[in-house]
Amino acid sequence: MLKITKFGGSSVADSTQFKKVKSIIESDPARKFVIVSASGKRNPKDNKITDLLYLCHAHIEYHVDYLPLFKMIEQRFLDIKNELSLNTDIESELAVLEVELPKLSIDELVSRGEYFTARLMADYLGFPFVDAKDVIEIRYDGSFDYDRTSENLKKILVENKRFVMPGFYGRTPDGKIRVMTRGGSDISGSILARCLKADVYENWTDVSGFLIADPRIVKNPRNIEKITYSELRELSYMGASVLHEDAIFPIRKYNIPIHILNTNRPEDQGTIILDNIPEEDDKESPIITGIAGKKDFTAVEIYKKHMSNDVGIVRKTLSVFEKYGVSIEHIPSGIDSFSIVVRSKDVSENIYDIVSEIKEAIHTDHINIADGIALIATVGRNMNSRPGTSGKLFAALGNSGINIRMIAQGSDEINIIVGVENKDFERAISIIYNNFIGEE
Ligand code: ASP
């Protein structure tokens, strides 16, 4: 059994968190390859090291004294080192960094958060340190070169049977450090899981996986035990975020499970994310996997008699939105009408111009603007095999007097989206939860 274990910023925020990481690693010999983010917030008012490093760079760029800020960062690392009585000489490296800071590229500068956190973690765990710039190969276009990364790993594994590696960065073909997008250590873990053919990729964070619904709306919602990548994509799009979205791409086709776990409550079950879940393992799972949603959408409702014979009408309408750079969320349609659903903030400045251009483009007589719409996605891989799911959903909302403004379902039938008034948003989510999962 081979596990890749990645710890997020809050899991390595200070020496207390380092101790939790150590006991997690030591409790399972399969946890041989550890990836860390840069130390994150120790409390809600604290700062993430990566944010401070970006700020340092801004100070340098605007010729403002960056030293006080740099000293704050330095102290965070020194506190961890001293509190854990570690030996790694980060002081000399930090002293060099302090002088060279103005000359570094922004990527190299911000990568130092992960670098020092990993150096300290390697020392504390008694594992070798392996630098991500000697492992992760990033092409100039930002894509990952898995073949070359695997070759690098093969060489490293000759001497090291386990290691700690910083997340978030790698190197481009010219040897320069390149960082990923924010939260990118999740992707580093995933790349390692793929290249080392891991059995599982453990992603340790500060929540016990995903919940079926937002706990600010539903009291004590149940945990999602298993979820597919596609379901997760639907839910993340609607706002549920724990994992970097791109972390699934490196391992998707290998069906390597990602196990989301909580460093502060390691005994919790967490959530397992998989490409597909075999039917025999899915018998106990609920029909719906999760509910998520967002407020503040606008539906531009377009009516025209005998529209169904009018070739090109939708294209002409969409090109108006394209001209204004507005991305489309949904297009529910009827025989002589269709609606374009967009985020309200994307059209707030141009809505009158958009409407008049649509009128001109398709010669319609009637366009209605419906604001204040909330979209709620009810997601579940098991929905398509069970007839009556959407009926149950609509009946539950209807019986509670909630007006459904629109309905959309993706062709893979794992997601039913309903549009309701903003004011009904929270109540609608609670009703769906209670009907499918049950009241606590
Ligand atoms: N430290 C980086 C960030 O804050 C990457 C990560 O945490 O995954 O975005």
Side-chain angles (χ1 to χ4, degrees):
M1 173 65 100
L2 176 65
K3 293 183 175 179
I4 302 298
T5 34
K6 183 257 162 181
F7 292 90
S10 58
S11 303
V12 291
D14 58 18
S15 59
T16 313
Q17 295 301 89
F18 265 57
K19 287 180 189 157
K20 294 180 189 168
V21 169
K22 188 173 191 165
S23 80
I24 290 167
I25 294 297
E26 288 179 346
S27 67
D28 185 345
R31 295 179 176 136
K32 292 194 197 91
F33 302 104
V34 181
I35 291 121
V36 290
S37 287
S39 298
K41 294 183 182 190
R42 293 160 293 185
N43 57 63
K45 289 201 179 126
D46 197 15
N47 293 304
K48 294 182 178 185
I49 293 278
T50 308
D51 290 336
L52 296 177
L53 287 165
Y54 274 109
L55 202 56
C56 238
H57 182 261
H59 276 56
I60 293 166
E61 216 172 51
Y62 290 96
H63 312 291
V64 180
D65 182 10
Y66 62 86
L67 270 183
L69 205 53
F70 183 74
K71 291 286 168 205
M72 258 169 87
I73 298 170
E74 187 172 55
Q75 199 53 51
R76 290 276 305 264
F77 291 130
L78 291 177
D79 284 349
I80 297 176
K81 170 176 170 165
N82 296 331
E83 282 163 27
L84 299 174
S85 315
L86 302 176
N87 296 318
T88 302
D89 178 18
I90 54 167
E91 287 86 341
S92 338
E93 283 192 57
L94 284 162
V96 175
L97 182 62
E98 184 182 318
V99 180
E100 292 194 337
L101 219 54
K103 286 186 270 168
L104 299 187
S105 71
I106 179 163
D107 283 36
E108 186 161 8
L109 200 167
V110 298
S111 73
R112 297 304 84 189
E114 270 63 18
Y115 173 82
F116 283 108
T117 308
R119 288 289 305 275
L120 293 172
M121 185 58 81
D123 185 351
Y124 186 49
L125 296 179
F127 280 28
F129 167 83
V130 164
D131 197 343
K133 84 171 185 343
D134 301 326
V135 179
I136 308 283
E137 302 276 357
I138 306 178
R139 297 191 189 94
Y140 291 117
D141 66 2
S143 63
F144 300 108
D145 187 334
Y146 299 114
D147 292 338
R148 291 190 55 204
T149 302
S150 300
E151 277 168 32
N152 294 341
L153 280 166
K154 230 187 250 160
K155 286 184 208 139
I156 289 166
L157 290 184
V158 175
E159 305 219 327
N160 305 293
K161 297 291 167 247
R162 47 191 199 167
F163 60 72
V164 176
M165 186 189 88
F168 189 42
Y169 70 94
R171 70 160 174 229
T172 42
D174 55 5
K176 296 211 171 98
I177 285 186
R178 166 84 69 96
V179 296
M180 302 168 193
T181 46
R182 294 299 306 265
S185 302
D186 283 344
I187 309 172
S188 310
S190 181
I191 295 174
L192 238 55
R194 170 184 172 139
C195 296
L196 293 173
K197 302 190 175 59
D199 297 293
V200 52
Y201 168 25
E202 290 184 342
N203 191 293
W204 292 83
T205 174
D206 54 2
V207 292
S208 300
F210 296 90
L211 299 170
I212 294 180
D214 186 337
R216 287 167 300 188
I217 299 176
V218 173
K219 213 171 127 218
N220 292 328
R222 265 169 54 185
N223 182 52
I224 301 178
E225 283 175 33
K226 292 184 204 125
I227 186 169
T228 63
Y229 294 143
S230 320
E231 290 176 305
L232 182 64
R233 169 104 184 93
E234 303 277 348
L235 288 172
S236 315
Y237 181 67
M238 278 297 193
S241 81
V242 171
L243 185 75
H244 193 301
E245 276 208 11
D246 292 348
I248 60 177
F249 297 122
I251 53 178
R252 184 168 197 157
K253 76 170 192 236
Y254 301 93
N255 206 24
I256 298 173
I258 306 180
H259 195 175
I260 309 285
L261 289 152
N262 188 346
T263 304
N264 305 316
R265 294 172 58 95
E267 64 286 359
D268 284 359
Q269 194 177 29
T271 298
I272 294 180
I273 314 165
L274 270 167
D275 191 28
N276 53 68
I277 298 169
E279 232 173 79
E280 62 272 20
D281 295 345
D282 216 13
K283 291 201 181 92
E284 308 283 299
S285 309
I287 305 177
I288 67 163
T289 305
I291 312 159
K294 276 191 203 156
K295 286 182 177 174
D296 296 326
F297 289 88
T298 295
V300 180
E301 300 163 352
I302 295 153
Y303 302 86
K304 190 174 181 201
K305 283 196 197 80
H306 308 297
M307 162 189 292
S308 49
N309 302 325
D310 212 337
V311 176
I313 189 164
V314 177
R315 179 186 56 76
K316 286 179 199 153
T317 307
L318 290 181
S319 58
V320 176
F321 285 94
E322 187 179 350
K323 180 179 155 195
Y324 284 90
V326 178
S327 94
I328 310 292
E329 298 288 325
H330 293 288
I331 313 180
S333 64
I335 303 290
D336 282 336
S337 70
F338 63 95
S339 299
I340 307 286
V341 182
V342 295
R343 284 167 207 263
S344 305
K345 68 171 175 32
D346 291 351
V347 291
S348 56
E349 279 179 17
N350 298 319
I351 191 68
Y352 295 109
D353 295 332
I354 291 174
V355 168
S356 74
E357 284 190 35
I358 296 174
K359 279 190 172 163
E360 213 176 282
I362 65 168
H363 310 289
T364 173
D365 14 84
H366 185 41
I367 293 182
N368 185 42
I369 305 294
D371 269 330
I373 291 183
L375 297 182
I376 299 172
T378 304
V379 174
R381 61 189 171 278
N382 293 324
M383 290 195 312
N384 64 0
S385 55
R386 293 194 225 179
T389 311
S390 49
K392 183 170 168 182
L393 180 81
F394 303 142
L397 293 174
N399 292 339
S400 306
I402 289 185
N403 186 17
I404 300 179
R405 300 290 307 261
M406 56 154 278
I407 298 167
Q409 185 172 34
S411 40
D412 49 7
E413 288 185 48
I414 64 164
N415 189 3
I416 301 171
I417 294 172
V418 291
V420 300
E421 315 254 330
N422 271 346
K423 69 170 173 48
D424 290 331
F425 178 68
E426 286 84 3
R427 204 158 65 87
I429 289 184
S430 302
I431 289 164
I432 299 171
Y433 182 91
N434 292 341
N435 270 272
F436 283 94
I437 307 295
E439 280 170 85
E440 283 295 308

